[in-house]
Amino acid sequence: MTIITSNMYLGADNPGIKTGIDVLKNESVLPDGTLFTNPVTSHGITRTKKMKYYFEILDHLKEIHQSYIAHSEKGEKNILIGGDHSIAIASGVHSLENYDNLGVVWVDAHADINTNDITNSGNVHGMSVAALLGLGDDGLVNFVPRTKYLKPENVVYIGLRDVEPEEQALLDKLRIKHYTADEVMSLGIETVMKESIAHLKAQKVKNLHLSYDLDSADPTLVPGVTTDVPNGLDLKQTLYIFRQLHKAFNVVAFDLVEFNPEKDVDNQTVDFIKQIMPDVLK
Ligand SMILES: NC(=[NH2+])NCCC[C@H](N)C(=O)O
């Protein structure tokens, strides 16, 4: 297992995220052997087209990607602990390079399928899925030259509840399977997982990249995130998602992202992370 951490915060344009990895280190959440990427720095706010901190983010994506190439053995599980969700572009590309017909389950309040053309915020953490699909700015999409893109039919979202209209239009156009948090509540997490797994199996997915954004959880339970949205998932639903996916697929990569200690309340988010960690590391 290769565990890489990143304190990337520029993709969310929020410095509160910067110290997340230090907090997790001090709380003994990170196992021995965890690798640390160079601390991210900004050269001051810049925009390339509409994207903020584009060059700093690209450099960091390359560093994470290189680190996987240097340390990860084929077949082992890769864990990426962040840091904002932009870093999943690096882990995702690495998974796509190593596994044909990769499946992705994106557990998140947000669809992260913005592109340079449609983004309102300019924040790159809202563009990760788009980049993996091969959509958006070429530099972000091909931060390392590649030919393998994620197939829209191999993606399932769980927990959505803050999707911009242009993003929804893309989800509909690409016919990407997605479950909102409301649907999780009304259908039940058991049904959602049964259908999600059946959908991916129908695409013949065997290897899965699980990208978990802490803001999928309810902010009363997990307040320490940058872009919190009410009415999210609870711990039991979250663990159920992880366990069903580990049972059904070969989980080749796991991202745990968006911890923002500045917004945490009474260490609730740290405690939540401690409770999910055994399943992350499974
Ligand atoms: N992974 C996240 N927390 N993404 C938040 C994205 C929010 C918003 N849709 C944006 O593009 O700016």
Side-chain angles (χ1 to χ4, degrees):
M1 184 175 300
T2 298
I3 307 171
I4 298 180
T5 58
S6 155
N7 77 333
M8 170 52 76
Y9 63 99
L10 301 170
D13 195 16
N14 190 309
I17 300 174
K18 217 174 180 173
T19 56
I21 295 304
D22 294 332
V23 172
L24 296 180
K25 206 197 300 180
N26 293 338
E27 294 271 353
S28 310
V29 175
L30 305 174
D32 292 345
T34 296
L35 303 169
F36 299 92
T37 46
N38 291 318
V40 171
T41 45
S42 106
H43 314 308
I45 174 107
T46 51
R47 276 181 196 260
T48 302
K49 300 170 201 167
K50 280 153 77 182
M51 296 166 292
K52 294 186 207 155
Y53 306 104
Y54 179 75
F55 291 106
E56 292 95 323
I57 292 170
L58 288 188
D59 281 350
H60 193 70
L61 294 180
K62 286 179 195 157
E63 187 192 340
I64 295 170
H65 183 256
Q66 271 308 317
S67 191
Y68 276 127
I69 291 174
H71 297 282
S72 173
E73 305 274 336
K74 174 103 187 152
E76 73 175 8
K77 188 174 173 187
N78 295 317
I79 316 260
L80 182 59
I81 302 177
D84 71 56
H85 219 157
S86 67
I87 59 178
I89 300 174
S91 57
V93 165
H94 184 259
S95 297
L96 285 164
E97 284 171 335
N98 281 283
Y99 296 95
D100 288 332
N101 200 39
L102 183 78
V104 169
V105 174
W106 201 268
V107 184
D108 200 322
H110 308 91
D112 295 344
I113 196 163
N114 268 310
T115 62
N116 177 69
D117 293 335
I118 62 174
T119 180
N120 290 303
S121 68
N123 290 334
V124 174
H125 75 157
M127 305 182 188
S128 311
V129 176
L132 295 175
L133 291 166
L135 305 173
D137 177 76
D138 187 60
L140 198 60
V141 171
N142 292 305
F143 77 94
V144 289
R146 66 193 179 108
T147 50
K148 288 187 185 174
Y149 298 102
L150 179 60
K151 300 179 194 165
E153 62 272 27
N154 285 10
V155 181
V156 176
Y157 287 99
I158 302 172
L160 296 184
R161 57 199 187 279
D162 182 10
V163 178
E164 294 169 60
E166 299 84 350
E167 292 186 292
Q168 186 64 50
L170 264 179
L171 294 183
D172 296 342
K173 183 176 143 205
L174 299 172
R175 308 179 80 223
I176 299 183
K177 187 108 179 138
H178 55 285
Y179 292 93
T180 63
D182 278 353
E183 283 168 328
V184 172
M185 308 309 162
S186 59
L187 295 169
I189 191 65
E190 293 81 5
T191 302
V192 167
M193 291 319 294
K194 208 180 280 167
E195 291 181 6
S196 300
I197 290 167
H199 175 80
L200 292 171
K201 294 244 177 197
Q203 320 306 320
K204 303 209 164 13
V205 166
K206 291 195 171 64
N207 300 305
L208 188 85
H209 184 117
L210 175 42
S211 202
Y212 176 70
D213 189 320
L214 285 160
D215 71 28
S216 59
D218 194 87
T220 61
L221 306 170
V222 179
V225 296
T226 304
T227 42
D228 50 313
V229 194
N231 301 321
L233 309 179
D234 66 18
L235 176 65
K236 215 170 134 201
Q237 291 164 329
T238 302
L239 290 176
Y240 189 80
I241 295 171
F242 295 170
R243 288 174 188 169
Q244 293 305 112
L245 293 176
H246 278 98
K247 255 189 236 167
F249 301 103
N250 178 29
V251 178
V252 295
F254 200 123
D255 310 316
L256 166 57
V257 296
E258 294 281 342
F259 174 40
N260 182 340
E262 264 182 18
K263 291 194 57 192
D264 205 6
V265 179
D266 299 332
N267 240 24
Q268 281 188 79
T269 306
V270 172
D271 291 340
F272 187 91
I273 293 172
K274 283 182 180 165
Q275 292 182 82
I276 62 171
M277 213 55 197
D279 288 83
V280 174
L281 298 174
K282 207 177 265 164

